[in-house]
Amino acid sequence: QVQLVESGGGLVQAGESLRLSCRASGMIDSIKAMGWYRQAPGKQRELVARILRDGTTIYADSVNGRFTISTDNNLYTSYLQMNNLKPEDTAVYFCRADTILALTMAPHDSWGQGTQVTVSP
């Protein structure tokens, strides 16, 4: 029903930057929020950043000031600009969309397949 395609992960050195992208498509009436989450080996998935339809942004304390979430096209595309990356940022990053489905008008949360970010010391 809803597809999320992420891109932009990779291997970088500490202090460098990466930009992740997530594009939503499918049977969507509207998108209420887009978010980025990450999961490191042996750890639970955690919120990194989230942006609401009214532009409100939320960041994890660990990334505040280094990462920036943004969107265009009515939240159908979101970006996560990651600056001054640290080894502890190494994880699989997942995009999540909080949507209202077309036709049924039901709320629906969707996840992308994940993209690996690896930061070497």
Side-chain angles (χ1 to χ4, degrees):
Q1 290 176 315
V2 178
Q3 296 80 42
L4 299 179
V5 178
E6 300 137 333
S7 61
L11 171 63
V12 297
Q13 292 186 329
E16 294 184 339
S17 300
L18 279 175
R19 189 192 196 205
L20 306 182
S21 300
C22 173
R23 182 160 60 179
S25 62
M27 298 296 288
I28 302 171
D29 176 81
S30 61
I31 300 178
K32 300 183 297 179
M34 289 282 266
W36 287 93
Y37 294 71
R38 67 186 181 188
Q39 188 166 19
K43 294 187 177 181
Q44 290 189 327
R45 190 172 297 188
E46 62 176 2
L47 173 69
V48 176
R50 194 161 182 254
I51 185 165
L52 307 183
R53 192 170 182 85
D54 65 0
T56 301
T57 55
I58 302 166
Y59 293 96
D61 289 344
S62 59
V63 306
N64 200 15
R66 299 188 296 124
F67 291 11
T68 303
I69 188 170
S70 61
T71 73
D72 60 13
N73 195 21
N74 291 321
L75 295 184
Y76 276 70
T77 304
S78 71
Y79 305 96
L80 185 68
Q81 178 67 41
M82 306 185 293
N83 297 329
N84 190 21
L85 282 160
K86 303 176 181 181
E88 51 264 43
D89 295 319
T90 295
V92 178
Y93 284 69
F94 298 88
C95 175
R96 170 181 157 175
D98 300 349
T99 66
I100 301 295
L101 296 178
L103 300 180
T104 64
M105 304 306 287
H108 180 77
D109 295 342
S110 299
W111 292 86
Q113 79 285 358
T115 184
Q116 177 70 45
V117 172
T118 303
V119 184
S120 63

